[in-house]
C-alpha cells in the first residue's frame, strides 16, 4: 500500500514545485513542470516503504526528468553531451561513476544516474572511498530511471542490471562488468572505485573525441 505524506511533507512538495518552476522558467511551461512533479511523486510513493526523503527525492527525480525533457526538445548539437549510469540499486557503482564523471568533466557533460531497484541510501563505503579522492557523493540519493532520461542520454552505461536495464533505439549503450561494492569493506571497494575512474576517464576521452569530429 502506498505511503501517505504529512501536511509538512506536502508543503515541502509545493515548495519544491515552486523551485522547479523558477529553474525551468522560459524552457518548459508550468503545466508540464507540475505534471512531471506529480508523476515523479506518484512513482516514488508507490516504491517507498516510508515517506522519509520522498519530498527531496521527488524534487530531484522530477528535476532530472525535466532536464532530460529540455534536451529532448532542444537542438542537442548546441548542448553538452550526456551520460546516464545505470545499475540495480543506484547506490554504489553508478553513483561512483556519476561522481567521477562530474568531477573529471568539469561541467562539460550532463550526468544522470538511476537504478532498476533503487536502494534507500547510497552505500556508505562507496561514499567513503570516493571521499578519499576528494569527491563528495554524500548528498546523492538513489532514484529510478525514467524513459525521458534514458532517451535523452547520448551514452547509457549499464552495470549489472541485465534485462532490467532499458533499451531505446538510437542510444549508444556500453556495458561495464564491475563488482558490486555492496557488502564489501573499504579495502575491497577501493579497487572497484579505481577501475570505475579508469573507465570514466576512457569514456570521457571518447566523448570529447566524438564531439570534435
Amino acid at each position: 500500500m502506498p505511503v501517505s505524506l504529512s501536511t509538512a511533507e506536502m508543503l515541502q512538495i509545493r515548495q519544491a514545485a515552486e523551485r522547479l518552476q523558477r529553474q525551468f522558467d522560459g524552457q518548459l511551461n508550468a503545466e508540464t513542470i507540475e505534471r512531471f512533479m506529480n508523476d515523479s511523486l506518484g512513482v516514488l510513493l508507490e516504491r517507498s516503504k516510508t515517506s522519509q526523503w520522498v519530498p527531496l527525492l521527488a524534487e530531484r527525480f522530477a528535476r532530472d526528468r525535466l532536464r532530460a525533457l529540455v534536451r529532448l526538445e532542444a537542438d542537442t548539437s548546441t548542448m553538452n553531451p550526456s551520460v546516464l549510469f545505470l545499475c540495480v540499486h543506484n547506490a554504489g557503482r553508478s553513483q561512483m561513476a556519476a561522481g567521477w564523471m562530474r568531477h573529471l568533466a568539469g561541467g562539460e557533460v550532463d550526468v544522470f544516474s538511476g537504478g532498476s531497484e533503487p536502494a534507500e541510501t547510497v552505500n556508505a563505503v562507496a561514499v567513503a572511498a570516493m571521499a578519499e579522492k576528494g569527491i563528495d557523493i554524500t548528498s546523492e540519493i538513489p532514484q529510478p530511471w525514467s524513459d525521458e532520461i534514458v532517451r535523452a542520454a547520448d551514452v547509457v552505461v549499464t552495470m549489472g542490471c541485465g534485462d532490467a536495464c532499458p533499451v531505446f533505439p538510437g542510444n549508444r549503450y556500453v556495458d561495464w562488468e564491475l563488482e558490486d561494492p555492496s557488502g564489501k569493506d573499504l579495502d575491497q571497494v577501493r579497487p572497484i572505485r579505481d577501475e570505475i575512474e579508469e573507465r570514466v576517464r576512457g569514456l570521457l576521452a571518447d566523448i570529447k573525441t566524438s564531439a570534435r569530429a
Side-chain angles (χ1 to χ4, degrees):
M1 181 177 178
V3 300
S4 58
L5 298 177
S6 68
T7 301
E9 288 166 335
M10 289 302 299
L11 175 60
Q12 291 175 330
I13 292 294
R14 288 196 295 273
Q15 293 170 336
E18 291 170 359
R19 285 191 291 271
L20 293 175
Q21 296 278 2
R22 291 192 293 271
Q23 179 177 348
F24 292 97
D25 183 40
Q27 296 177 294
L28 298 168
N29 62 50
E31 292 77 13
T32 297
I33 295 170
E34 184 174 357
R35 175 166 55 86
F36 272 74
M37 183 66 191
N38 289 335
D39 183 69
S40 298
L41 177 62
V43 169
L44 295 170
L45 288 175
E46 286 288 340
R47 292 170 172 264
S48 300
K49 297 177 181 178
T50 172
S51 63
Q52 185 181 21
W53 304 116
V54 165
L56 174 60
L57 186 50
E59 181 178 1
R60 292 189 178 189
F61 187 32
R63 178 179 289 111
D64 278 357
R65 294 178 67 188
L66 292 168
R67 285 172 53 210
L69 187 62
V70 169
R71 292 188 62 87
L72 289 171
E73 296 183 350
D75 178 4
T76 54
S77 65
T78 65
M79 304 183 76
N80 288 334
S82 61
V83 178
L84 167 62
F85 296 101
L86 290 176
C87 66
V88 177
H89 300 303
N90 192 216
R93 291 165 291 185
S94 57
Q95 292 287 1
M96 287 193 286
W100 274 119
M101 182 60 80
R102 292 188 185 101
H103 177 73
L104 296 171
E108 295 182 1
V109 175
D110 288 340
V111 182
F112 300 89
S113 71
S116 55
E117 299 176 17
E120 292 293 324
T121 60
V122 175
N123 184 318
V125 182
V127 171
M130 294 297 286
E132 290 183 338
K133 294 293 185 176
I135 301 173
D136 183 5
I137 60 171
T138 55
S139 63
E140 301 303 320
I141 303 175
Q143 67 179 30
W145 54 268
S146 72
D147 288 355
E148 301 86 15
I149 294 173
V150 180
R151 288 167 50 220
D154 296 311
V155 183
V156 179
V157 179
T158 60
M159 310 175 190
C161 47
D163 293 340
C165 284
V167 177
F168 287 89
N171 292 92
R172 175 189 169 192
Y173 287 85
V174 180
D175 185 63
W176 291 352
E177 292 187 8
L178 295 162
E179 283 190 75
D180 187 345
S182 178
K184 293 180 169 56
D185 62 28
L186 187 54
D187 285 339
Q188 294 171 310
V189 171
R190 287 187 182 112
I192 302 172
R193 174 203 63 197
D194 295 344
E195 182 178 356
I196 290 173
E197 177 189 4
E198 182 178 351
R199 288 176 181 266
V200 169
R201 287 184 181 277
L203 177 60
L204 180 58
D206 188 35
I207 289 171
K208 289 182 175 181
T209 299
S210 298
R212 290 193 296 266

